[in-house]
């Protein structure tokens, strides 16, 4: 098994790959070994100035390109992504930590998302309103302008595609700052767009000191839209910066997903589904099920079954064929978990599985199950973003709904019940952008993905994802 990191890192500005030139660097670690594996160039102020000017030019030309051409470029990029999936997946695993099979699945899903947007490129319609005496009004939907996009490291391929594909389909240009922790995947995905024929002034990638990059891009009058995937505090900060030029925004922020498990569910099947889903990507998923509220009558059986299954999970370097869960992506995430678990213990909760770091120099944390976690424990209020399942019992349907809606977040929620009337009630009453009932999949290319409350606004995916890159204009013709 070769352990060489297979990506060459650089920024993509104006159709050129740039690095070196006395720029500052960020050292990239392998989360499974803790070893340094590459150096990433960081943007200077001059780089960002160049990228903005290029994006301005790119928007002027791309917005008038035929939608069919935009679609064709996207389709070709999707094909290249599929061809290169094995290579890209290896890069992802070595910089982010998830098992190779999960990484490959993510790349294939990203290709599917690009294909969907290729189709949407030709489906931006307007409206004609007929008026008396031959007058008419035309309702037009036009691309908003250059987009500044920022995304997190947990889905290094999918998050990048979610920023680039809808912008390109709508006729916008985009400057993307992916995470400095997973740059190699972003670079490989960008190469697919480049090799598919996307003009170098339409999509660009920069890395840098996050606050410096976002200030430079968001305070520029060239930028007309902010698209951000990341935590709630950083999202709020960026919204304030973007307010200065009143730009359009899409905010995909954090969550703290509740799971309501009712006593009429199929318990064994529910446990099989939930345990697998909880520990996907070591729990570092914005829609990860986190607060498991289980109806009193089945609570102890649920807790026992959850802990037994969790202890079977094989944790090791994601490059190993047998790996079911890799390390966490970085050391700070693991430190947060240690503090949250310690706080839960001291507030009287029972740790049924895990609760400790793994061995070795990598950022491993054992899959963890904690029962009887009180409402005021920190983990019940702050997104753990890691492999920790928090369990607590509830009595009535109303109690469950109250618990689900208790926090200021509203991204994903899960319910397990065979009662059809209750399914409808939960679908209506739960405050979340996505409610999954008796299953856990939240991501489909044609369905809007996004949150409510402090989890954000402005969906990605689906026709809504392209619509979020358009502005409406009405032309009244005499
Ligand atoms: P984070 O907000 O600290 O970082 C996310 C990204 O934003 C990173 O690339 C980071 O470099 C960048 N960033 C940080 N400060 C910035 C600034 N001032 N200007 C510009 N960019 C900045 O979040 P994190 O802890 O690294 O990621 C996990 C969080 O992201 C979780 O809260 C998770 O729920 C959320 N997330 C949400 C979604 C979604 O679709 N709703 C998807 C993935 C992750």
């Amino acid at each position: 098994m070769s352990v060489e990191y297979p990506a060459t890192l650089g920024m993509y500005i104006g159709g050129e790959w740039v690095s070196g030139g006395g720029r500052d660097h960020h050292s990239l670690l392998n989360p499974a070994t803790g070893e340094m594996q590459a150096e990433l160039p960081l943007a200077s102020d001059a780089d960002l100035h160049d990228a903005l000017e290029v994006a301005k030019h790119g928007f002027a030309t791309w917005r008038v390109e035929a939608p069919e051409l935009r679609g064709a470029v996207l389709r070709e990029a999707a094909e290249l992504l599929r061809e290169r999936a094995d290579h890209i997946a290896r890069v992802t695993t070595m910089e982010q930590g998830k098992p190779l099979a999960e990484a490959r699945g993510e790349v294939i899903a990203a290709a599917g998302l690009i294909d969907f947007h290729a189709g949407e490129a030709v489906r931006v319609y307007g409206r004609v309103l007929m008026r008396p005496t031959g007058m008419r009004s035309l309702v037009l939907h036009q691309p908003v302008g250059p987009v500044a996009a920022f995304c997190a490291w947990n889905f290094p391929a999918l998050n990048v595609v979610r920023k680039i594909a809808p912008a390109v389909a709508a006729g916008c240009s985009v400057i993307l700052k992916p995470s400095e922790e997973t740059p190699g995947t972003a670079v490989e995905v960008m190469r697919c767009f480049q090799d598919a024929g996307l003009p170098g002034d339409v999509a660009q990638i920069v890395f840098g000191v996050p606050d410096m990059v976002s200030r430079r891009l968001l305070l520029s009058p060239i930028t007309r839209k902010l698209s951000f995937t990341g935590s709630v505090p950083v999202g709020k900060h960026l919204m304030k910066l973007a307010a200065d030029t009143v730009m359009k925004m899409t905010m995909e922020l954090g969550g703290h997903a509740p799971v309501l498990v009712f006593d009429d569910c199929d318990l064994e099947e529910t446990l099989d589904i939930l345990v697998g889903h909880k520990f996907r990507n070591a729990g570092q998923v914005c829609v990860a099920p986190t607060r498991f509220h289980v109806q009193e009558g089945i609570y102890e059986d649920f807790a026992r079954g959850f802990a037994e299954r969790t202890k079977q999970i094989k944790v090791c370097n994601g490059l190993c064929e047998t790996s079911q869960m890799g390390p966490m992506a970085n050391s700070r995430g693991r430190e947060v978990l240690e503090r949250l678990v310690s706080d839960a213990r001291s507030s009287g909760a029972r740790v049924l599985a895990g609760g400790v770091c793994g061995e070795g120099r990598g950022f491993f944390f054992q899959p963890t199950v904690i029962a009887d976690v009180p409402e005021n424990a920190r983990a019940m209020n702050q997104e753990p973003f890691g492999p920790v399942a928090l369990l607590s019992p509830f009595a009535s349907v109303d109690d469950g709904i109250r618990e689900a809606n208790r926090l200021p977040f509203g991204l994903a929620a899960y319910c397990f019940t065979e009662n059809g009337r209750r399914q409808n009630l939960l679908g209506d009453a739960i405050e979340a952008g996505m409610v999954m009932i008796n299953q856990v999949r939240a991501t489909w290319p044609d369905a809007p993905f996004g949150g409510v409350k402090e989890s954000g606004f402005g969906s990605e995916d689906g026709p809504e994802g392209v619509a979020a890159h358009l502005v409406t204009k009405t032309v009244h013709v005499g």
Side-chain angles (χ1 to χ4, degrees):
M1 177 169 77
S2 158
V3 288
E4 209 160 292
Y5 180 66
T8 308
L9 303 179
M11 294 183 285
Y12 188 63
I13 300 175
E16 304 286 336
W17 289 97
V18 299
S19 60
R23 291 178 178 84
D24 286 344
H25 278 81
H26 168 82
S27 296
L28 188 70
L29 303 182
N30 182 328
T33 63
E35 283 164 10
M36 216 265 274
Q37 59 186 356
E39 295 227 307
L40 176 70
L42 303 180
S44 63
D45 193 62
D47 289 326
L48 299 172
H49 171 83
D50 290 350
L52 282 163
E53 289 302 321
V54 165
K56 184 175 167 184
H57 181 265
F59 175 58
T61 52
W62 192 244
R63 71 191 300 251
V64 293
E65 275 297 357
E68 290 79 4
L69 181 133
R70 292 186 214 142
V73 169
L74 286 169
R75 226 165 265 119
E76 177 62 19
E79 208 43 55
L80 292 173
L81 214 61
R82 285 189 195 96
E83 274 173 25
R84 301 174 190 177
D86 287 340
H87 172 74
I88 301 175
R90 198 172 173 79
V91 175
T92 300
T93 295
M94 291 188 72
E95 62 187 13
Q96 199 270 345
K98 66 180 65 174
L100 212 44
E102 269 186 47
R104 193 174 190 288
E106 180 187 337
V107 177
I108 297 300
L113 198 57
I114 300 177
D115 271 337
F116 173 78
H117 284 98
E120 286 304 288
V122 297
R123 286 196 280 272
V124 175
Y125 306 123
R127 217 155 77 234
V128 180
L129 307 171
M130 303 309 289
R131 306 291 183 207
T133 62
M135 288 168 62
R136 58 201 59 193
S137 299
L138 311 178
V139 181
L140 310 180
H141 300 296
Q142 299 184 315
V144 60
V147 180
F150 307 87
C151 62
W153 41 265
N154 61 337
F155 286 94
L158 208 53
N159 286 348
V160 163
V161 160
R162 276 205 167 117
K163 298 300 173 207
I164 295 180
V168 166
C172 295
S173 58
V174 53
I175 304 173
L176 172 65
K177 191 200 80 57
S179 168
E180 284 69 32
E181 290 171 318
T182 52
T185 309
V187 163
E188 295 299 331
V189 170
M190 189 67 233
R191 284 192 208 285
C192 293
F193 284 107
Q194 179 188 14
D195 295 345
L198 186 68
D201 55 4
V202 173
Q204 304 177 84
I205 284 190
V206 297
F207 299 102
V209 176
D211 195 48
M212 182 272 222
V213 178
S214 54
R215 278 178 198 277
R216 190 73 175 81
L217 298 186
L218 296 178
L219 296 179
S220 164
I222 293 173
T223 306
R224 294 312 311 144
K225 178 180 164 86
L226 157 64
S227 181
F228 176 69
T229 299
S231 63
V232 175
V234 173
K236 288 180 179 176
H237 168 66
L238 296 187
M239 285 166 70
K240 286 177 193 153
L241 289 181
D244 245 20
T245 54
V246 192
M247 65 179 67
K248 206 171 168 87
M249 299 182 203
T250 296
M251 305 305 287
E252 295 286 359
L253 309 179
H256 200 308
V259 186
L260 299 185
V261 183
F262 291 88
D263 58 13
D264 65 342
C265 76
D266 179 330
L267 185 59
E268 295 303 310
E269 194 186 317
T270 301
L271 282 166
D272 287 343
I273 294 173
L274 281 176
V275 174
H277 194 57
K278 170 68 231 178
F279 298 108
R280 184 172 68 112
N281 197 12
Q284 301 161 118
V285 181
C286 54
V287 295
T290 300
R291 294 176 284 145
F292 294 80
H293 302 294
V294 185
Q295 216 164 8
E296 286 166 343
I298 57 167
Y299 178 70
E300 283 303 331
D301 288 344
F302 182 91
R304 197 177 313 111
F306 207 109
E308 278 166 9
R309 284 167 176 78
T310 299
K311 287 176 188 165
Q312 305 302 316
I313 293 172
K314 169 93 173 136
V315 183
C316 57
N317 188 326
L319 291 180
C320 299
E321 269 181 23
T322 53
S323 176
Q324 291 176 305
M325 194 183 102
M328 295 190 67
N330 51 54
S331 59
R332 67 178 185 286
R334 193 169 71 155
E335 285 156 18
V336 169
L337 288 194
E338 284 185 283
R339 286 197 292 274
L340 292 180
V341 171
S342 152
D343 174 76
R345 271 187 216 274
S346 57
S347 56
R350 287 182 287 154
V351 177
L352 304 183
V356 290
C357 296
E359 287 167 9
R361 289 181 59 205
F363 310 137
F364 291 95
F365 195 85
Q366 291 298 325
T368 298
V369 182
I370 313 181
D372 309 346
V373 189
E375 193 180 295
N376 61 358
R378 279 177 57 198
M380 274 297 195
N381 299 280
Q382 171 189 340
E383 182 186 25
F385 216 58
V388 175
L390 309 165
L391 277 48
S392 81
F394 73 88
S396 68
V397 177
D398 285 347
D399 291 341
I401 293 174
R402 199 175 309 115
E403 200 47 58
N405 292 342
R406 184 176 59 84
L407 295 183
F409 314 110
L411 191 56
Y414 302 83
C415 307
F416 287 81
T417 176
E418 293 298 322
N419 182 320
R421 270 172 72 90
R422 192 183 290 154
Q423 289 173 7
N424 279 335
L425 172 70
L426 294 165
D428 286 344
I430 291 184
E431 297 164 358
M434 294 161 283
V435 180
M436 274 58 71
I437 297 178
N438 292 342
Q439 67 89 37
V440 287
R441 182 166 170 184
T443 311
W444 303 84
D446 57 355
F449 182 98
V452 297
K453 296 162 75 177
E454 291 194 18
S455 292
F457 53 83
S459 312
E460 298 191 302
D461 305 353
E464 288 83 355
V466 174
H469 291 76
L470 302 170
V471 284
T472 302
K473 178 193 280 179
T474 314
V475 181
H476 302 285
V477 185

